[in-house]
Amino acid sequence: MTSEITLFVNPTAGRGRGARAAQPAASALRAAGFSVRTVLGEDAADGLARAREAVTGGTGALVAVGGDGMANLALQAVAGTRTPFGLVAAGTGNDFARALGLPVGDPAASGRLIAEALKNDRLTDVDLGRVNGTWFGTVLASGFDSRVNDRGNRMRLPVGRFKYDVAMLAELAAFRPFSYRITLDDGGTREIEATLVAVGNGSSYGGGMRICPGADLGDGLFDITVVGDCTRTTLLKIFPRVYRGTHVDHPLVSVYRAARVELLADGITGYADGEPLGPLPLTAECVPAAVRVALP
């Protein structure tokens, strides 16, 4: 393995935390004897093209610095290859880092961990989800949660995560269940009324909401959480339990496990790792051992 490491940086992640996190992470890698090349990119498409160029050019590892969006972008370059992937969690949500058991908000520690893992060949193959060629690490969201994302992305004010709280209140005012058709592993089709359907490769989204608490990055299966047809009042009772993962005990919540899931519903956009995938219908497959990750 070459000693050159590519640091893939989002300078705007976490209101600038991405740029600030790059320096201590790079210093830790250099102190361990690696040379570090930084890739920024003028925008997401340019950054991804540069990251892919680094991977095809034989970089020793691709290390994303930022949040879940940056991790997701990096996965598009490194998934399905044998190039090691490292993650310096410096964004707002950092759900993929949490699922991997990585440090959050400590770029120097992250850099040291990645350096030690690469030197000692301490790399672990983990599963990823894939939808129409797009990879994701955490959760594919659809339904009420994706509607909140839609509305929040359209809002200019307020800024930061608070706008998604405002968006959630607005969506609650217009709340209604959705008619889904769900097909698991090419088997029987379920036609249900549901508030949301979340397809979890990882366990959480939204900065720690454990929507799929039993999801395992190494079992080759998704955990699919279905919140059924409930009233606005019931949804408000279920929602706080998501942070502990105890919502799955509610009688209106069902959990399925499958390697492939097809979701069909009208008027719903799917989001994975917080990034829009496009309108349903969408088919997601869990790809075992899709990426090699530097882990503790």
Side-chain angles (χ1 to χ4, degrees):
M1 182 184 72
T2 177
S3 64
E4 182 184 86
I5 304 301
T6 301
L7 214 58
F8 189 31
V9 182
N10 180 0
T12 64
R15 298 188 184 181
R17 285 198 297 271
R20 293 193 296 272
Q23 185 173 350
S27 296
L29 287 163
R30 290 190 180 106
F34 293 97
S35 61
V36 178
R37 173 181 172 232
T38 301
V39 168
L40 293 171
E42 296 179 4
D43 53 29
D46 181 56
L48 177 55
R50 292 170 186 257
R52 283 177 167 153
E53 182 180 333
V55 170
T56 57
T59 185
L62 184 68
V63 177
V65 183
D68 287 321
M70 194 62 182
N72 177 272
L73 193 61
L75 288 176
Q76 310 315 310
V78 76
T81 76
R82 299 305 291 166
T83 301
F85 170 71
L87 180 56
V88 177
T92 303
N94 303 310
D95 288 289
F96 195 39
R98 289 189 177 93
L100 293 167
L102 298 174
V104 172
D106 191 341
S110 296
R112 290 192 296 270
L113 183 154
I114 293 165
E116 291 170 7
L118 292 173
K119 281 192 165 185
N120 298 317
D121 198 27
R122 198 171 64 233
L123 303 168
T124 302
D125 291 337
V126 303
D127 305 340
L128 294 176
R130 184 169 60 190
V131 177
N132 296 330
T134 298
W135 301 91
F136 68 93
T138 57
V139 177
L140 189 169
S142 74
F144 176 76
D145 44 6
S146 64
R147 283 291 189 91
V148 170
N149 243 329
D150 282 340
R151 185 180 290 269
N153 290 342
R154 295 193 300 267
M155 294 167 57
R156 297 184 64 184
L157 293 173
V159 298
R161 292 187 65 188
F162 182 62
K163 75 177 177 180
Y164 292 97
D165 295 332
V166 174
M168 184 176 71
L169 292 173
E171 282 299 317
L172 275 171
F175 173 73
R176 62 175 178 82
F178 307 96
S179 298
Y180 278 89
R181 180 180 297 165
I182 305 173
T183 304
L184 305 178
D185 286 339
D186 297 320
T189 296
R190 296 168 173 83
E191 295 191 3
I192 60 173
E193 296 293 306
T195 301
L196 64 86
V197 178
V199 180
N201 182 56
S203 59
S204 70
Y205 61 7
M209 290 189 286
R210 301 182 65 231
I211 188 68
C212 301
D216 183 339
L217 291 173
D219 65 357
L221 296 170
F222 292 128
D223 274 32
I224 299 121
T225 299
V226 179
V227 178
D229 182 0
C230 61
T231 65
R232 187 181 296 114
T233 300
T234 302
L235 178 60
L236 286 171
K237 289 180 179 177
I238 293 174
F239 179 77
R241 296 170 61 174
V242 173
Y243 287 95
R244 301 187 303 275
T246 57
H247 61 291
V248 295
D249 299 325
H250 194 280
L252 287 177
V253 178
S254 302
V255 178
Y256 305 95
R257 307 187 79 219
R260 185 179 184 275
V261 56
E262 180 181 349
L263 303 177
L264 188 153
D266 291 332
I268 296 178
T269 299
Y271 283 79
D273 296 341
E275 302 297 314
L277 287 172
L280 273 56
L282 292 172
T283 299
E285 59 177 327
C286 184
V287 181
V291 64
R292 302 178 73 205
V293 182
L295 294 181

